[in-house]
Amino acid sequence: MSNPKHDKGEHYLTTPKAEPFLERLIFNNRAVILVAFTLLTLFLGYNAIKIQPDASFERMIPLEHPYIVNMLEHRDDLENLGNFVRIAVESKEGDIFTQEYMETLKQITDEVFYLNGVDRSGLKSLWTSNVRWVEVTEQGFQGGTVIPDGYDGSRDSLEQLRQNVLRSNEVGRLISDNFNSTIVYAPLYETNPETGEALDYGEFSRQLEEKIREKYEEQNPNIEIHIVGFAKKVGDLIEGIGSIAWFAGITILLTTLLLFWYSRSVTGTLVPVFTSIIAVFLQLGTLRLLGYGLDPYSVLVPFLVFAIGISHGVQIVNAMAVEAAKGFDAVTAARLAFRALYIPGMLALISDAFGFLTLFFIEIDVIRDLAVAAGIGVAFVILTNLVLHVLIMSYIGISKGGVRHVQNHGEKQDRKWRVLSYFSHPGVAPISLLIAVIGLGLGLYYKQNLKIGDLDQGAPELRADSRYNKDNAYIINNYSTSADVLVVMVKTPEEQCTQYNVLRAMDTLQWELQNTPGVQSSVSLADVSKVVTKALNEGNWKWYEISRNQTIINASIREAPAGLINTDCSLTPVLVFLEDHKAETLETVVERVEVFAANNSTDEHRFLLAAGNAGVESATNEVISGAKDKMLMLVYGVVSLLCFVTFRSIRAVLCIVIPLGLTSILCEAIMSVSGIGIKVATLPVIALGVGIGVDYGIYIYSKLEKYLLEGKTLQEAYYETLRSTGKAVMFTGVTLGLGVVTWIFSPIKFQADMGFLLFFMFLWNMVGAIWLLPALARFLLRPDQMVAKARAAK
């Protein structure tokens, strides 16, 4: 039976062969599909609530980079690989040479020894036997453990301890320069050698706080504990995830209030929120089944999934409210909304998914995990938005308040849309393009200073006033050796690492590095040989040199510290202590080492980069630098291809993509001005902003093209576009921005940076779609030819 009102909706039909079939498939099986969704939600929701935080040292580094390959290949032969913690035990009043301090340090050393994950053989403290003193006397070398034999805490024992410390060569390393603190150094296993399970950084960090910091600061009020290291940093990041729950609650509340203000409909408010939350549960449940957890980076993806679900749900609510205001019943209004929004909604969400999946080509596992999590989330939004949301609304419809709101505000909105339609006017469009060109020029100018990597000292992932960065600042200010270590590995045949030519080459490299900006100091087997050779010759500085006599060399490195030579003498490291791990420092030092390695590596010895936390940072920066442009080209290529396949017009693609390109350039300019570098945390923002930002242009252009094909002028077509979908597009931008703006208040700085940048990109992409797209259409589209083509097709 024909319904005249239903026939009014036939103009929404854009692909006659596809949409009616899917429409019939979905609406003729509403009850079955809803039952299937219920069962799927219960199953995946049960798994979602069991998902656990997850972080791993190896997942945060580019495992395929040559530096990391070298580091992992020789990890058993080296210390200072970056996965360790340093616990500085400070005496607030007085120095370390007191019975009370030494007793507390002994207890802390014992406590750390038994922590799960600690490599006990490498543990170092004044109380461990591998920390020794050595001196040269008339009888030869003498030495022993720093803690004197028979130590009993008496004044004589403490004085002997002081003498041993001064002879130990550990001042500035394990002992602070001012003798107010000492360090307990604990290397860590990535996996438990007994169980094979990965180290739980969150639990390990909690043990450090509860069993070390809290316990001993309370036990001895004169003691203050400072803890740094990769494991502690990740533990603090995981702890910061706890605040995400508050952000989630605030975001849902604000979004719900804003959505009700927009729709004035209870059903039009609660259903999009409900289906978006369902999409998040489906995403998290699937991730758990696939073996993924939530690391500090991907924990933000559920926010994006919720915001994307709401933003597309608004389009459904808007379309249904317009149809309900015409008098259609709930089922018919739902069908017409589905028919009108199926193509642009599907295209926009697929563009979102592909924008995320381009991140998978970056060879860092945490970014790949983020890509997978976001891609799965968007896939479920397609189902919950275009199927579940529409079907629920087909049963309950738009409430009367929402219908009255559309009916009562139509004329007022028409005046607003009439004013905005002048963006496509022949006299206004050139001005808009001129403003865009000026913005492009400013963006290109300021983005020139955009850096790759970290731009701050300490842990830039955390705020400057965080507990970790305060601890890090204390250690930097009180110890001579930096926390940023670049390890250059010198590889030789077995039993050849102490040969004269090898040590001479190492010494030359150190001389070059110590004259390189950013290098604080360096240590190697060559230093040990020179110091001991001098000592064997009455301390005469003329003998401070590497002897050409191999027998003397062998004698000089007999007592070399652990970590400077491996068991079969096939590898020895050069430890380079840097002033910081800023991008410029790493670039300068690494370039100097690479040039030296290329010119000085021989069949007898090869210089390999790089271990240490600075080596890992340098490899990560190189991967990100190489991936940035490739990722941008890929995401823009995919988005452009999808738009071309849908609209079959290069001009249409340019209208949609050019505003996105301007936003990307302005975003990089803002990063440069704000002192935010491109790194693991911020690189995904660029792809996310493009992938999600294209939604606005797709919704606007799909409507604009429809009205142009009906024979309307460009300005009139844009006016009708704004009337039908403009408000929803604007609300979409605000909703997406609201979904990420709460991140700005996160205790984790990189989350705050991501929130700030995504907030800008989401809002500015919306502005670009409303303001710049119609101006581009004025110069790129040819309405007369489009109308003639449409008439010929009929």
Side-chain angles (χ1 to χ4, degrees), residues 424 426 429 433 643-644 647-658 697-698 700-709 712-715 717-718 721 769 772-789:
S424 62
L433 293 183
C643 291
F644 179 76
F647 299 113
R648 304 298 176 90
S649 167
I650 294 294
R651 298 173 186 273
V653 172
L654 293 175
C655 286
I656 294 171
V657 171
I658 287 176
I698 290 172
I700 291 290
Y701 187 85
S702 63
K703 286 289 187 180
L704 180 64
E705 182 187 56
K706 169 183 170 298
Y707 290 120
L708 287 174
L709 291 175
K712 292 180 171 59
T713 64
L714 179 61
Q715 187 170 346
Y718 189 55
T721 298
L772 189 55
L773 189 152
L776 291 166
R778 170 61 61 183
F779 291 93
L780 293 175
L781 299 185
R782 297 175 181 175
D784 295 338
Q785 292 185 9
M786 294 177 68
V787 172
K789 183 179 178 181

Side-chain angles (χ1 to χ4, degrees), residues 421-434 715 775 778-779:
S421 71
Y422 276 88
F423 284 136
S424 62
H425 189 275
V428 177
I431 299 174
S432 295
L433 293 183
L434 178 61
Q715 187 170 346
R778 170 61 61 183
F779 291 93

